[in-house]
Amino acid sequence: MHLGSIDITFVVLYLLGIAAFGMWMGRGMHTGFDLFLGGKSLPWWAVAASLVVSDIGAKDMVGLADDGYRYGLVMTNFDLIGCVFPVLIAAFLFMPFLWLAGVYTIPEYLGRRYNQYVRLCFAVIWAVFMVGTLGVIFVSAGTMFESLLGWNFSTSVLMTAILVALYTAFGGLKAVVYTDLVSCVVLIIGAILICVIGLQEVGGWQALREKVDAMPGTEYHFQLLRPADDADYPWPAVLLGLGFVLGPAYWIGNQAIVQRSFGTKSQSEARASYVMCAAIKTLFPFLLVVPGLIGLALFHDKIGPGNSDSWQGGQVLPELVKLLPTGILGVVLGAFLAGIMSNLDSYVNSAATLCVTDIYQALINRRATGPQLMWLGRALVVMFLSLGACCSFFVRERFGSVFEAFQTFLSFFQGPLLALLLFGMLTRFATQWGGLAGLLSGVTVASYLKFGTTDLSFLWIAWWSFVASVAGVAIVSLFTKRYNDDRLRGLVCWLPMRQERG
Amino acid sequence: MSGQFTTLVVAMGATSPLAGRLAFASVFAALIVWLLLAPASLFDESSTTARPDKTPLWRNTRTWAIAVAAFEMLTYLLWR
């Protein structure tokens, strides 16, 4: 693809500008508290934008365009029922509560509510998951750069890793949130431009519907919901697996997401950030899925049918981007970079926080000083980016659809995580051993369903692992001793901290 | 196991997208009801402002949450 000088100028300025801005935001950083929680000084509106782009990044731009091409508007449910619904509940019930608990990480909360085994298990699981996720994001970056700029995969991954390491290691969560704010604006502009120019190319919305409807196997492409016996996305599985398990687990329990709301100034600002995030997310799914439909109408002959064995993921968005005129292309490429960087910085910062808080500080050195934790966090940022870059080569070989790979990672332990959080926050009934049993039973069932059965949707895997986890917590809690109320104060919603007198 | 569950759902006559639309819209309707009826103490609104009764609606996070949920509910009900 030929980039005009104005496009290249925009992209280079964007890359350098965002790195410099991030490093500038990180000045005056002295402790792990500053690096990991931004000194609890982050405004709600910046956190809201950061929440949006931490969720919708490069993987979604590429992956959702692909899946929009293959499955149509049913993919919008990942935001409509999988995000907006749990985010609104989390905004009022969970986030203010977790903010008051004063935790750095979700495993830290689980450790205080259950025991250190549960904390360690989830810290390790999250760290492994985040390395895998970083690999997925790097694959998105490599695919896009290869197609657009002709760079090879290794060069693309290396360039991206260095840039993100620069400002995330120095600026911490504060740099992450403020650069995400810029990224959010660029991302929205870029997504709108792709939709508008793509629709013009097709001949408008009505022409798009007519062209897609005329193709074989597209009878549900413009439906939000597919029938209950659909092989890929049956609506009961979408509702139960995505709406009631994966979505809530992601928005309440994903460290990379919730960490930024822990950095707000107050619990009411944590709530406001989540509500604003939900408001922004009502529009995003259409901006990300409709390009897939446009790609189907325009490039069906070139890319081929999405349900065939010859399907190659990652091609829809790059083909669409080639339609854009010089000047606009730079903005859209900037949007893609914004998505990559915001995803990467969020996950890498959270992975470092987890390792420092839940492993190093909890198990190795309880008396570590603030500056020690900060420098260790910075070193871990570099290490996690390196691991993620290495992992991307494996992810690239193994998975066809980037987005599906991300969901497969999630489905293994999101059910157990949600079960433990719900039992932990909403009841006094769950015991420490019940929590451990719930974790093990959920992960066991998820593993069995994934590897012991064939062609089972990850949505069903998430649902049944959640059910198994609930059963595990409930049954074992019946026969084991629970903590007293004083031990649970501040950890269960109905048992607030005692107010100090005087 | 999930196959049996799907069969059960199908047997209950919930195969049509209309049934799905109603189910999804109901989830948001229930959320709106909860947001409307939950006591202010649960949301700790008294701590966000000195005079909560004087806070304009447009600055109230609960109002915005209800508006977003209503938008989603209508999307599922009306999308064709």
Side-chain angles (χ1 to χ4, degrees), chain B residues 20-49:
Chain B
R21 278 213 300 272
L22 291 175
F24 277 66
S26 300
V27 168
F28 284 102
L31 178 59
I32 291 169
V33 170
W34 177 68
L35 287 167
L36 282 169
L37 299 182
S41 58
L42 178 65
F43 297 162
D44 194 36
E45 283 168 348
S46 56
S47 73
T48 62
T49 172

Side-chain angles (χ1 to χ4, degrees), chain A residues 185-459:
Chain A
V185 174
V186 178
L187 194 63
I188 290 173
I189 293 170
I192 290 173
L193 285 173
I194 289 178
C195 282
V196 170
I197 293 172
L199 279 174
Q200 277 179 346
E201 195 74 22
V202 177
W205 179 255
Q206 196 56 37
L208 175 68
R209 290 196 73 144
E210 287 168 5
K211 284 184 182 176
V212 172
D213 284 341
M215 294 175 186
T218 60
E219 60 267 39
Y220 296 115
H221 266 55
F222 283 92
Q223 300 293 320
L224 289 178
L225 302 174
R226 291 180 166 225
D229 53 358
D230 184 76
D232 298 306
Y233 293 101
W235 70 257
V238 173
L239 184 63
L240 296 174
L242 182 61
F244 290 167
V245 179
L246 287 179
Y250 186 84
W251 288 96
I252 300 166
N254 186 337
Q255 179 64 26
I257 296 294
V258 300
Q259 188 177 340
R260 55 223 59 242
S261 66
F262 294 164
T264 51
K265 295 171 186 171
S266 66
Q267 59 161 325
S268 60
E269 293 221 1
R271 181 187 304 125
S273 69
Y274 258 57
V275 172
M276 185 177 174
C277 167
I280 298 172
K281 290 278 270 177
T282 56
L283 299 176
F284 251 100
F286 296 99
L287 292 177
L288 296 175
V289 176
V290 167
L293 293 168
I294 295 169
L296 181 60
L298 293 176
F299 310 118
H300 183 260
D301 294 338
K302 185 174 181 179
I303 298 177
N307 55 1
S308 72
D309 292 337
S310 60
W311 162 258
Q312 292 286 317
Q315 299 303 312
V316 177
L317 194 65
E319 287 296 334
L320 274 174
V321 168
K322 289 174 185 173
L323 296 174
L324 304 175
T326 301
I328 301 286
L329 182 58
V331 178
V332 173
L333 202 53
F336 184 75
L337 292 170
I340 292 171
M341 292 163 73
S342 58
N343 256 200
L344 279 177
D345 61 29
S346 303
Y347 275 88
V348 84
N349 181 264
S350 296
T353 309
L354 276 170
C355 285
V356 169
T357 307
D358 296 310
I359 296 175
Y360 180 75
Q361 204 174 11
L363 300 175
I364 299 170
N365 184 3
R366 289 176 185 273
R367 294 180 180 178
T369 62
Q372 280 176 333
L373 297 177
M374 182 185 71
W375 283 106
L376 178 63
R378 286 175 169 170
L380 285 170
V381 164
V382 176
M383 189 195 82
F384 273 110
L385 279 171
S386 307
L387 279 175
C390 295
C391 188
S392 67
F393 292 90
F394 166 77
V395 173
R396 188 191 188 203
E397 294 298 321
R398 180 75 189 269
F399 296 101
S401 168
V402 170
F403 192 72
E404 205 166 312
F406 184 74
Q407 295 300 332
T408 304
F409 278 125
L410 278 177
S411 62
F412 268 83
F413 56 94
Q414 292 292 73
L417 174 63
L418 181 66
L420 263 65
L421 284 172
L422 292 181
F423 266 108
M425 288 187 195
L426 301 179
T427 77
R428 286 175 281 192
F429 163 76
T431 66
Q432 55 169 326
W433 301 114
L436 196 60
L439 168 61
L440 294 175
S441 58
V443 172
T444 303
V445 166
S447 305
Y448 168 72
L449 292 176
K450 176 65 184 171
F451 299 113
T453 59
T454 55
D455 294 335
L456 191 63
S457 166
F458 66 88
L459 298 172

Side-chain angles (χ1 to χ4, degrees), chain A residues 38-55:
Chain A
K40 287 220 176 220
S41 64
L42 305 172
W44 63 272
W45 41 270
V47 170
S50 181
L51 285 167
V52 171
V53 290
S54 296
D55 174 48

Side-chain angles (χ1 to χ4, degrees), chain A residues 71-84:
Chain A
Y71 305 111
L73 291 181
V74 70
M75 300 308 296
T76 59
N77 287 297
F78 279 89
D79 281 320
L80 298 180
I81 194 76
C83 169
V84 174

